Amino acid sequence: MIATGVNPVDALASSLGEGRPWAGVSDFLSAVRLLRKIPTEVARSRAVATIRVAVLGNATTDYLVDAIELALTPRLACATYVAGYDQWPQELLASGSGLDQFGPDVVVLLLSTLGLTAGGARYDEIPDRLVHDALAAFAARSNAPVVMVLPDIPVDATGGESAPDRWYQRARVALHDAAREALGSRSVTVDPMAVLADLTRSWRAGSYWGSAKLPYHAAGCIAVGRRVAQTIENITHPRVKVVAVDCDDTLWGGLAGEVGPSGVNLSPFDGGIGHLCLQRLLKEASANGILLVAVSKNEPETVAAVFRERARDMVLSADDFVAFKVGWGAKSHSLREVAAELRLGLDAFVFLDDSTFERGEVRAGTPEVFVPELPSNPIEYAPFVTRLGILERPIRSDEDARRTQLYQQERWREEARTVAASPDAYLASLDLQLIAAPIDDGSLDRVAQLVAKTNQFNLTTRRYSREELRALATDPSAYTYAFRVIDRFGDAGLIGVVIATTGGDEAVLDAFLMSCRVMARTVEHAMFEHLRRWLLRGKHSRIRASYIRSSKNALVAELLPQFGFTILDASPARTDYTREVDAALDVRFVSIREDS
Amino acid sequence: MKISRDEFQQLLGEAFSVDPSEILLTADAEDFETWDSLNHLNAVVTLEERCGVSFSVDEIASMQSIAQIVACLREHGVDVDWPV
């Protein structure tokens, strides 16, 4: 039961605490009632973002929608649009539909088996063609990713070769492929069975399909809604960027310091299997761009020796980790250190440790870190962490796949910085190269991602849709460049975007943004210098620019004066500047190249 | 299986967003503006969960008054401790 009579925000927060909330449907309904009492402005002001979620489907989606919203609360606030029952084809196909007017960030499309088979009365049709055409039509009008909930196992499936079984096997594949073909990487499917199979009660709709067109029992709708919420969070605002993981009795069985590298349990035939499964899960997370940090109380050589001497028995290798924090200090101190080194907030960390003591120490010392109660049985580690839903990356860029490498290079640079005699000597030693390339279809995805996500090093925080970017990129009077940086440690990837529009002899700097991971290397000066040379060639004599203040971009408040701009006009919200094009900028530490 | 009058009224009061004291044997769907199809569903699901029973489609459709809900529960061996 949930306390009433107190402030709904606090009451809801306490009901959403540790572990599994909503033991039953009535608990869930009480939580939803509290959620409804929280004014929209309050929910939005407490959230890191508000996301617009549209839910379409061939069944009643009320419980599903409430569960999505509740599961995202309070970190993300939701604006929802719920399409009419079975209206998904019209909504997706017709330009100007309610869905279009709503303008979703994410679309959820529920295709339940009962809805597709007239309640289980007919197994003769799979609407993969319609799904493909409807999603393709929608994709031409919107960038929103679509989370499609696949059919559930038919109530009269035998597990053999009956008509429902054959329909089910084909429908899952055909619908998955149809969505993938229509949407490419923006298609994400969720198999509801992964969570329905875990319910202790039957998830079957039973009478509720006939009475209310529920796709599953209310408890099933709620479980699937929570699962979909995890996917939505992981697509739009992933909570966890770093997994800090203990070694002894977490990554392997036993204490390496006592039993030596050869003695730790990594055997797939007994207790080692749970540790290996956790390693496999973390290996996948690392490939998805989540950073791994080993945090262990040991001599550094003890841990290094396990990775070296047991390499053949392990799934993870030392290269999968962005940092090793091995020593005898408090683990919360190690986490603070590594957060500073990676320039990431502690709220982006999850900490996995078998020891109750260490979990308690980290909770007390770094309360921002997410510290789940790892089960005591190692065989439960991987399934438990999976169900937290924080390591899934349904949509990933090439950048995500290389992230560990990028951060490793950054740490080598840090080390070089500490040995260099002076800041200038250090910058000179990096051998920095800026590679400029006009934005094109090949870079559009990464450019759109950078434009959408860069908050700090961003002069105007102007967001552009892919269509707007594409239109600007084909406009010959506009300067639309994306920049990569390479130094002697490696390729930092696409890190900057600059957009300027021109008219007559004057230009306006519309967007100037850069990834924070290449800060303090004068790269931004080189980016501006590249623009300046382009304007000079185009016989433009003057450029105007503005710093538009946001809650996060104080970092660049003084950037334009550094580029030689002078103030035209200043207000608390923005400062407008101007500059002659002809004076060159000093970029002696960075060589600028045009990508051919 | 037994469910007390207080708990029954509390449970349906929450489902229909009304004061538990308004849950009377004489009340029916017409009496509450909040007795819409979704709250009806909430009431049925909550009762099933609390009492460990499972209703048929026709029974769910028939539950259009408090008295009918009590009668349906009795059919399934759940006694609402409330003299009729």
Side-chain angles (χ1 to χ4, degrees):
Chain A
M1 279 311 254
I2 290 158
T4 47
V6 281
N7 159 359
V9 173
D10 296 339
L12 186 60
S14 68
S15 86
L16 293 176
E18 281 280 318
R20 296 183 69 115
W22 331 323
V25 177
S26 55
D27 280 349
F28 167 80
L29 292 173
S30 308
V32 171
R33 280 182 212 110
L34 287 171
L35 180 71
R36 297 281 165 255
K37 285 187 194 156
I38 300 174
T40 310
E41 321 82 73
V42 174
R44 292 188 181 175
S45 69
R46 295 164 59 92
V48 298
T50 298
I51 47 176
R52 303 179 68 76
V53 180
V55 181
L56 323 177
N58 62 2
T60 299
T61 53
D62 297 74
Y63 292 124
L64 185 92
V65 173
D66 286 343
I68 291 173
E69 203 169 331
L70 198 50
L72 292 174
T73 300
R75 190 170 171 265
L76 294 173
C78 252
T80 54
Y81 172 76
V82 182
Y85 166 72
D86 222 9
Q87 297 289 303
W88 62 271
Q90 296 92 313
E91 293 273 9
L92 291 167
L93 284 165
S95 178
S97 62
L99 176 66
D100 277 12
Q101 287 164 31
F102 173 70
D105 297 320
V106 182
V107 174
V108 177
L109 173 60
L110 169 75
L111 292 177
S112 71
T113 291
L114 290 171
L116 292 173
T117 62
R122 314 169 53 116
Y123 288 99
D124 48 12
E125 206 185 312
I126 297 166
D128 50 332
R129 189 71 223 204
L130 178 59
V131 166
H132 172 272
D133 293 352
L135 290 176
F138 176 68
R141 311 193 303 272
S142 168
N143 294 326
V146 176
V147 180
M148 184 164 79
V149 181
L150 290 169
D152 42 294
I153 190 164
V155 64
D156 44 3
T158 63
E161 296 287 346
S162 72
D165 292 287
R166 288 202 308 272
W167 178 90
Y168 177 56
Q169 303 300 354
R170 283 187 304 139
R172 298 175 71 238
V173 176
L175 294 173
H176 173 279
D177 292 353
R180 183 45 68 119
E181 197 176 314
L183 296 161
S185 62
R186 278 186 287 147
S187 153
V188 178
T189 48
V190 167
D191 183 345
M193 296 315 301
V195 288
L196 292 175
D198 271 355
L199 293 186
T200 47
R201 59 157 300 133
S202 171
W203 53 272
R204 296 289 183 188
S207 299
Y208 293 109
W209 173 259
S211 344
K213 293 289 180 285
L214 281 191
Y216 333 110
H217 184 275
C221 299
I222 295 164
V224 173
R226 292 186 68 192
R227 175 66 189 78
V228 168
Q230 292 175 343
T231 297
I232 292 173
E233 182 165 42
N234 288 331
I235 293 172
T236 58
H237 297 86
R239 179 149 72 128
V240 165
K241 294 177 180 159
V242 184
V243 179
V245 61
D246 168 53
C247 295
D248 286 341
D249 280 327
T250 303
L251 284 184
W252 52 70
L255 307 179
E258 288 179 8
V259 297
S262 61
V264 299
N265 194 346
L266 286 161
S267 161
F269 301 109
D270 56 30
I273 187 66
H275 303 287
L276 288 172
C277 291
L278 180 65
Q279 288 201 16
R280 189 218 59 81
L281 178 64
L282 297 180
K283 182 97 178 175
E284 185 186 356
S286 163
N288 285 347
I290 293 166
L291 304 174
L292 305 184
V293 177
V295 184
S296 169
K297 280 190 177 163
N298 262 313
E299 291 301 328
E301 173 50 25
T302 306
V303 168
V306 178
F307 276 92
R308 200 172 53 236
E309 292 171 32
R310 299 297 299 274
R312 286 178 40 184
D313 303 318
M314 305 242 286
V315 182
L316 286 167
S317 69
D319 285 347
D320 295 317
F321 290 81
V322 71
F324 281 84
K325 288 286 170 191
V326 184
W328 301 102
K331 293 196 175 185
S332 61
H333 291 175
S334 299
L335 293 178
R336 274 192 200 288
E337 265 172 34
V338 83
E341 286 164 20
L342 297 172
R343 294 188 192 139
L344 288 168
L346 281 164
D347 57 354
F349 281 63
V350 60
F351 175 68
L352 304 178
D353 197 313
D354 69 295
S355 154
T356 321
F357 170 80
E358 297 295 355
R359 292 198 299 264
E361 192 280 318
V362 166
R363 276 198 200 103
T366 46
E368 308 94 317
V369 173
F370 175 37
V371 186
E373 274 300 288
L374 213 58
S376 54
N377 182 351
I379 202 69
E380 299 292 335
Y381 289 174
F384 170 81
V385 176
T386 301
R387 276 161 187 64
L388 294 174
I390 49 177
L391 301 185
E392 175 201 30
R393 287 297 175 274
I395 298 178
R396 49 173 190 272
S397 63
D398 296 346
E399 202 78 7
D400 294 328
R402 296 178 51 231
R403 187 157 298 126
T404 296
Q405 212 188 334
L406 294 169
Y407 276 89
Q408 280 168 348
Q409 290 164 7
E410 183 53 30
R411 289 172 53 80
W412 296 330
R413 284 184 200 101
E414 282 294 332
E415 283 161 26
R417 195 194 312 269
T418 54
V419 299
S422 70
D424 282 6
Y426 166 67
L427 283 177
S429 76
L430 283 178
D431 218 353
L432 286 156
Q433 297 177 54
L434 180 76
I435 297 155
I439 296 171
D440 60 15
D441 280 345
S443 60
L444 199 60
D445 278 340
R446 171 62 185 152
V447 168
Q449 193 188 36
L450 202 62
V451 165
K453 282 191 182 168
T454 307
N455 296 317
Q456 296 181 69
F457 205 107
N458 194 335
L459 267 184
T460 57
T461 324
R462 209 163 271 152
R463 311 293 193 197
Y464 296 85
S465 72
R466 284 167 56 95
E467 293 320 305
E468 287 167 326
L469 286 169
R470 188 178 276 137
L472 277 164
T474 53
D475 176 354
S477 73
Y479 171 98
T480 51
Y481 270 81
F483 297 91
R484 276 167 57 213
V485 167
I486 299 178
D487 66 14
R488 71 180 164 104
F489 296 106
D491 184 344
L494 203 158
I495 48 77
V497 174
V498 178
I499 297 174
T501 47
T502 62
D505 64 349
E506 198 168 83
V508 177
L509 184 59
D510 293 299
F512 192 98
L513 56 103
M514 192 179 81
S515 162
C516 282
R517 66 166 187 261
V518 293
M519 257 165 42
R521 264 169 250 175
T522 72
V523 166
E524 61 276 26
H525 289 69
M527 282 165 46
F528 183 78
E529 177 61 13
H530 183 268
L531 164 64
R532 195 196 64 80
R533 291 176 193 172
W534 185 89
L535 292 172
L536 200 62
R537 284 198 300 278
K539 307 268 188 284
H540 304 287
S541 60
R542 174 161 292 282
I543 176 161
R544 296 161 65 101
S546 301
Y547 164 67
I548 300 175
R549 186 180 306 279
S550 76
S551 58
K552 292 187 172 155
N553 72 347
L555 194 64
V556 291
E558 293 307 319
L559 184 66
L560 290 166
Q562 287 174 30
F563 290 171
F565 279 84
T566 52
I567 295 184
L568 275 180
D569 195 14
S571 72
R574 63 186 286 160
T575 313
D576 297 323
Y577 295 90
T578 181
R579 182 193 198 279
E580 301 293 330
V581 167
D582 56 10
L585 212 57
D586 174 15
V587 290
R588 69 198 134 122
F589 300 118
V590 185
S591 66
I592 304 173
R593 285 203 285 130
E594 196 81 18
D595 193 19
S596 41
Chain B
M1 153 78 77
K2 240 181 194 173
I3 176 168
S4 73
R5 173 178 173 162
D6 278 356
E7 189 183 353
F8 178 83
Q9 287 180 314
Q10 179 73 34
L11 201 146
L12 290 191
E14 271 190 19
F16 296 127
S17 308
V18 297
D19 193 89
S21 64
E22 294 183 47
I23 304 296
L24 299 169
L25 283 176
T26 50
D28 65 27
E30 301 298 308
D31 294 334
F32 303 131
E33 243 176 61
T34 51
W35 193 324
D36 60 14
S37 57
L38 184 63
N39 283 340
H40 182 76
L41 201 59
N42 289 343
V44 179
V45 171
T46 313
L47 281 172
E48 279 194 356
E49 183 171 270
R50 166 64 183 81
C51 305
V53 295
S54 185
F55 299 113
S56 73
V57 177
D58 289 342
E59 283 171 323
I60 295 172
S62 76
M63 295 180 183
Q64 295 302 324
S65 69
I66 301 299
Q68 278 162 327
I69 293 176
V70 171
C72 262
L73 282 170
R74 291 231 163 98
E75 287 284 311
H76 286 267
V78 179
D79 193 20
V80 181
D81 193 8
W82 194 351
V84 193

